[in-house]
Amino acid sequence: MRAQAAAALLLLLASLPLAGQLETEPPPVRVLRTGGLRVETAALLMSGQEGGTIPVATLVVPQPGTGAGNRSRVSVVLEIDGAEALAGQTGDVLRLEICLYAITSGSAPASPSGGPALSSGVSSGITATTTTAGALPVSTASATPGGRVAASRMDTVEVDLASRGAELEEGGLKYVGELDLPPGDYALRVLVRNAATSEVGLRSIPLTIPDFAKRRGLLLPPIVADPKRDETLGEAQGETQETAADAWLTARGAGIPDSPPSFSLDALPSARPILAPDVKTELRIAAWKLDEPGLPGLKIEIRRPGGARVGTFPLEIAGREAGSVPGLEILTASFVPKDLEDGVYDLRAVLAEGRAEGRGDDAAIAAILSTSIVVLQNGGGGQVWAALTPSRRAQAAQASVSAGGSGGADGPAQARRGKKVRKIDAGPVKAAYRKALTLLAGDDREGARTAVMAMEASVLGGERPASSEDLMEVELDVAGDLARSDSGILIPLLTLHQVIYRDAVRKQSYLVSTHDRELVFRLIALYAQRNPSPEGRREAGRFLYGLAAEMTESAPPSLRARLFQQILALDGTDATALLCLAVDAERQGRYAEAVGHLERLNKLHPGHAEARLRLGVNLARIGKVKDARRVLAEVSGLSTAEPWHVAVAAQEQTRVLIAAGDLAGAEAAIQDGLKRLPDDDKLALQLGLIRDLRKDPRGARDAVARIGKTEARLPRNRGSAGSGGVARNRYNSMPFEALDRAWSDLQKSALDHLPALAAALGVPAGADSVRNTP
């Protein structure tokens, strides 16, 4: 059918890799429709949260449809990190549940409940039948915080690990799904879940569908394929060059047809393509009702994710093909991204300046017409993004090393999943690294940082880049030699590399930031090996706080969890690491996991007020209301309780009591909180609500009236623990204070050890340093 052929516009529907299989042999990858959602899965989708332990990259492509109702076919490409999806897997078959939900926001109409099924098997919402015990059927009429479910798709991808497990771990899974949507604004919720381990990946993407019937001159997102094998390069270097495009197992949503050959690239589009600066990039662009005079002026625009334009480059058109929908054509083109630093960017095709795109040049439409890219020197060595990320198996092995074990045969060497391009020339690298450390010993911290970053960038991203693991071994050899007689010399080194990691993250220099993060872990493991006493290991764990101070804001959840678990491997009683794990789990909606961390923390540190508060809140969230009421009531009596602890405890205790219908108890809890915090406007507002529920309008007015008087008494820009939501904002944040204090202490300790570093290098020590941030 032509309606089905139109769905293939952007080359997203290539056949599953089944060539050569016997008809009687079960396919290594198959896709089944999922009949329903588990309660916790539905809650995560509707929450709008992002994160999880499974990294997922997305590409969303709207395309004009051919059916009635002016609906658009929206193709969604997901790239799922294979090693992370496999973490904890024990069975022979991996089952990944994949959910796509379009939630209305603004004027986008929702599909009517009980409406007809959309083409290609996408129902007009969540199907009302369940296939697993505990699954939750949800009607499309169900209200959500962002609106209503306009369309959804749920598939289960099964992978035979005996035949395809190694391939999956080296790269990952590329999944293609589709939704059918009318014009409007949506939030696209994406969830990937390992059915066996319950590990998830979550994305929430703002999505604007253009009205193709009313717009002209739209350029849809550029399509870039993962690179092909360079046979000539492989022969010249005598090495095997893997095909990045073959790094993915591919799966298509159940019922979605194949794409016409005329629209097919040699490989599926990349959801997160990696480009090399100053190297020609080939791409395809779908153009909608583009006037002929517009072709010579087409350009590629590259912007930062925040919107700042970095550059505009000419687009060379090599070919044009008619699309299956009148008014649609496919352009084959190329451009050269010149003089770009490593980092993440948005890639978009634009018309010449001064030419209109109908009404398609507003910010919302521009966002959906962009493709997210990563720019790395040498294109990341020709690998896909998932192959550049350390697997959690390697991280666990390294944690074992930090804990005093050997890490096994698959230890540090497994931290990189791509194959080596060349062995490192250790002599010049050692000399350059020691020279940079000489600057550090002389208290030229900025010079040392600049020199090390330049050396690492050149080694990792040159014409023939070396692996991060090889470079790390050289740097660790130098560090181990210098600290042979005094392990304290490692402290300025690991501080230096933590600062480099921070700089590289903010500059979006992924090769350097990933390398230095892993090097810091290895340096701290070396320190712990040199100081095996309990106090030495506790000190090594505290050194990781410096890394945590940055990673809590910039790193994905799986890396944050690894960081705090590594601290606990060094010191199992560390309160801050347990609290951070609990807060992170809570922010991802993993409330039962948060309770586990908090119960352990409360057992180890009974007087920890924040741990007691968070335990009460999360017990209520998992339905243990009686225990929650008891724990929350204990918070105000703790000597360590701060005003914000008391405020949130009173708020949460009141909510639990109201839900239980105990309005008298709720008012008593609020009054108790107001005795401690008489200026707390949130508690006063809750008191008004309770009195209103108790049909006491005068009392409600009196309670609410005190809010304005409270604000009038407060100094400008100041407030009590609860006024203006201060307490709630604090509750929703990670415990940065402890991490920042530890980072400051680490920097001071590093300065104290600079003379010993200078002595080990055989150079004069610098003058007394000003004790500030390096």
Side-chain angles (χ1 to χ4, degrees):
M1 296 174 62
R2 290 194 65 190
Q4 292 176 326
L9 162 65
L10 291 178
L11 331 164
L12 308 180
L13 309 174
S15 298
L16 291 175
L18 303 179
Q21 295 289 331
L22 297 175
E23 291 183 0
T24 58
E25 183 180 344
V29 181
R30 65 174 183 163
V31 183
L32 309 173
R33 293 308 302 269
T34 304
L37 290 181
R38 296 176 183 273
V39 174
E40 63 269 23
T41 303
L44 282 172
L45 273 168
M46 294 307 174
S47 71
Q49 298 181 80
E50 295 194 77
T53 56
I54 302 177
V56 181
T58 60
L59 172 68
V60 184
V61 183
Q63 39 198 317
T66 58
N70 192 27
R71 302 178 74 88
S72 296
R73 180 75 64 187
V74 182
S75 297
V76 182
V77 178
L78 305 182
E79 291 176 350
I80 302 162
D81 186 294
E84 296 293 352
L86 286 169
Q89 176 75 26
T90 56
D92 295 331
V93 177
L94 172 69
R95 292 181 176 86
L96 287 179
E97 297 172 353
I98 298 177
C99 305
L100 306 178
Y101 274 34
I103 311 296
T104 60
S105 58
S107 59
S111 297
S113 179
L118 306 178
S119 57
S120 78
V122 182
S123 67
S124 59
I126 307 172
T127 180
T129 60
T130 61
T131 56
T132 56
L136 176 68
V138 183
S139 167
T140 55
S142 300
T144 73
R148 296 177 179 272
V149 178
S152 70
R153 178 170 199 95
M154 293 176 290
D155 289 308
T156 297
V157 179
E158 294 186 348
V159 181
D160 177 18
L161 298 181
S163 61
R164 308 306 286 271
E167 295 175 61
L168 183 66
E169 185 172 14
E170 284 294 316
L173 176 74
K174 190 190 294 279
Y175 164 88
V176 180
E178 287 187 353
L179 298 175
D180 199 21
L181 292 169
D185 297 323
Y186 304 87
L188 177 63
R189 306 281 171 78
V190 175
L191 182 142
V192 176
R193 177 179 178 272
N194 182 322
T197 67
S198 295
E199 298 293 326
V200 300
L202 285 164
R203 294 293 307 278
S204 181
I205 305 160
L207 175 62
T208 296
I209 303 302
D211 189 338
F212 286 100
K214 296 180 180 179
R215 294 182 183 270
R216 300 183 62 85
L218 282 177
L219 297 171
L220 299 183
I223 297 299
V224 183
D226 288 315
K228 292 286 289 178
R229 175 183 290 125
D230 189 336
E231 301 288 358
T232 304
L233 179 63
E235 292 174 4
Q237 296 179 353
E239 298 163 349
T240 300
Q241 302 296 313
E242 290 186 340
T243 302
D246 295 338
W248 304 105
L249 296 182
T250 58
R252 179 184 304 103
I256 300 178
D258 292 344
S259 58
S262 61
F263 288 167
S264 296
L265 286 174
D266 292 334
L268 286 171
S270 174
R272 185 180 293 163
I274 299 177
L275 310 186
D278 305 317
V279 175
K280 179 186 287 190
T281 295
E282 296 183 352
L283 44 78
R284 284 194 174 192
I285 302 167
W288 173 248
K289 294 185 178 180
L290 183 64
D291 295 333
E292 186 70 26
L295 277 176
L298 295 184
K299 297 180 182 296
I300 283 290
E301 184 177 79
I302 293 183
R303 292 178 177 267
R304 299 281 186 189
R309 185 163 61 181
V310 175
T312 302
F313 306 99
L315 191 62
E316 181 179 340
I317 307 297
R320 301 171 63 182
E321 300 176 26
S324 60
V325 180
L328 184 70
E329 60 180 326
I330 310 300
L331 308 178
T332 304
S334 63
F335 80 105
V336 178
K338 294 184 177 180
D339 302 323
L340 290 180
E341 298 179 351
D342 289 2
V344 175
Y345 301 92
D346 287 333
L347 180 75
R348 184 187 174 207
V350 297
L351 297 171
E353 293 187 13
R355 294 188 55 82
E357 293 189 1
R359 291 184 296 169
D361 54 353
D362 54 273
I365 295 296
I368 190 57
L369 302 182
S370 299
T371 300
S372 179
I373 63 170
V374 177
V375 174
L376 292 177
Q377 295 295 323
N378 201 39
Q383 300 182 77
V384 299
W385 64 267
L388 297 173
T389 306
S391 67
R392 276 189 283 167
R393 184 171 66 180
Q395 296 166 3
Q398 184 54 42
S400 172
V401 173
S402 298
S406 65
D410 290 335
Q414 286 289 331
R416 187 198 74 261
R417 286 183 275 151
K419 292 187 177 180
K420 299 178 183 179
V421 177
R422 68 176 173 92
K423 291 292 291 185
I424 198 168
D425 190 355
V429 175
K430 281 188 177 182
Y433 188 47
R434 289 179 68 94
K435 184 176 181 180
L437 295 181
T438 299
L439 296 174
L440 178 63
D443 200 29
D444 183 1
R445 285 165 280 171
E446 183 176 352
R449 182 165 65 243
T450 301
V452 172
M453 287 187 74
M455 180 272 290
E456 291 177 340
S458 65
V459 172
L460 297 173
E463 287 296 322
R464 291 189 60 206
S467 72
S468 174
E469 181 66 28
D470 286 345
L471 174 57
M472 203 178 304
E473 291 297 335
V474 172
E475 291 170 317
L476 286 168
D477 283 346
V478 173
D481 288 342
L482 293 175
R484 192 173 301 279
S485 60
D486 182 359
S487 61
I489 291 174
L490 295 172
I491 298 175
L493 271 64
L494 63 90
T495 307
L496 168 68
H497 286 284
Q498 289 194 33
V499 175
I500 292 174
Y501 169 74
R502 289 172 174 236
D503 285 353
V505 166
R506 291 162 190 175
K507 293 176 180 177
Q508 297 181 330
S509 298
Y510 286 116
L511 288 176
V512 174
S513 65
T514 300
H515 171 81
D516 279 85
R517 182 191 67 222
E518 297 306 307
L519 180 57
V520 169
F521 279 114
R522 298 280 291 276
L523 285 168
I524 290 175
L526 179 59
Y527 185 91
Q529 290 171 356
R530 300 283 180 89
N531 297 273
S533 67
E535 179 53 39
R537 294 174 61 78
R538 278 194 294 272
E539 187 177 20
R542 285 193 293 270
F543 291 158
L544 278 170
Y545 282 171
L547 203 58
E550 175 66 32
M551 289 178 66
T552 49
E553 296 186 278
S554 61
S558 60
L559 286 177
R560 296 197 300 264
R562 171 206 175 187
L563 172 73
F564 296 118
Q565 291 289 4
Q566 193 127 332
I567 294 173
L568 291 171
L570 294 165
D571 177 11
T573 66
D574 192 284
T576 301
L578 283 168
L579 183 62
C580 288
L581 281 171
V583 175
D584 226 2
E586 181 179 356
R587 291 168 71 179
Q588 296 175 60
R590 303 161 70 96
Y591 304 127
E593 180 182 325
V595 166
H597 294 309
L598 292 165
E599 287 178 336
R600 178 180 172 187
L601 175 53
N602 275 278
K603 184 176 180 180
L604 292 169
H605 305 277
H608 200 296
E610 184 172 352
R612 192 74 59 87
L613 167 64
R614 291 185 181 275
L615 178 59
V617 172
N618 285 281
L619 284 170
R621 286 171 170 167
I622 63 174
K624 296 185 176 181
V625 177
K626 183 177 180 181
D627 291 338
R629 290 172 60 176
R630 172 182 55 79
V631 172
L632 289 169
E634 295 170 350
V635 172
S636 61
L638 295 175
S639 60
T640 57
E642 299 177 19
W644 76 268
H645 298 144
V646 176
V648 176
Q651 294 171 25
E652 293 295 326
Q653 189 178 7
T654 301
R655 290 181 183 180
V656 171
L657 290 166
I658 291 176
D662 185 358
L663 297 180
E667 181 163 352
I670 282 291
Q671 293 286 19
D672 183 62
L674 285 169
K675 288 179 183 178
R676 295 280 305 271
L677 304 168
D679 295 336
D680 192 300
D681 56 358
K682 299 296 181 185
L683 296 181
L685 188 61
Q686 275 189 305
L687 178 60
L689 170 64
I690 294 168
R691 289 178 174 174
D692 185 57
L693 291 173
R694 300 186 75 182
K695 307 202 182 307
D696 179 8
R698 176 176 295 179
R701 287 195 297 270
D702 290 345
V704 175
R706 67 188 292 168
I707 295 176
K709 297 176 183 179
T710 294
E711 292 177 348
R713 293 196 304 270
L714 294 173
R716 182 177 177 83
N717 297 327
R718 296 282 307 271
S720 70
S723 71
V726 174
R728 183 60 58 178
N729 289 339
R730 175 60 189 83
Y731 182 89
N732 292 333
S733 301
M734 294 286 282
F736 290 112
E737 297 89 345
L739 303 179
D740 289 338
R741 282 196 303 269
W743 174 231
S744 178
D745 292 343
L746 177 60
Q747 294 173 87
K748 293 175 183 177
S749 179
L751 293 172
D752 292 338
H753 287 88
L754 287 182
L757 174 61
L761 287 165
V763 297
D768 288 342
S769 305
V770 177
R771 284 347 190 214
N772 58 10
T773 302

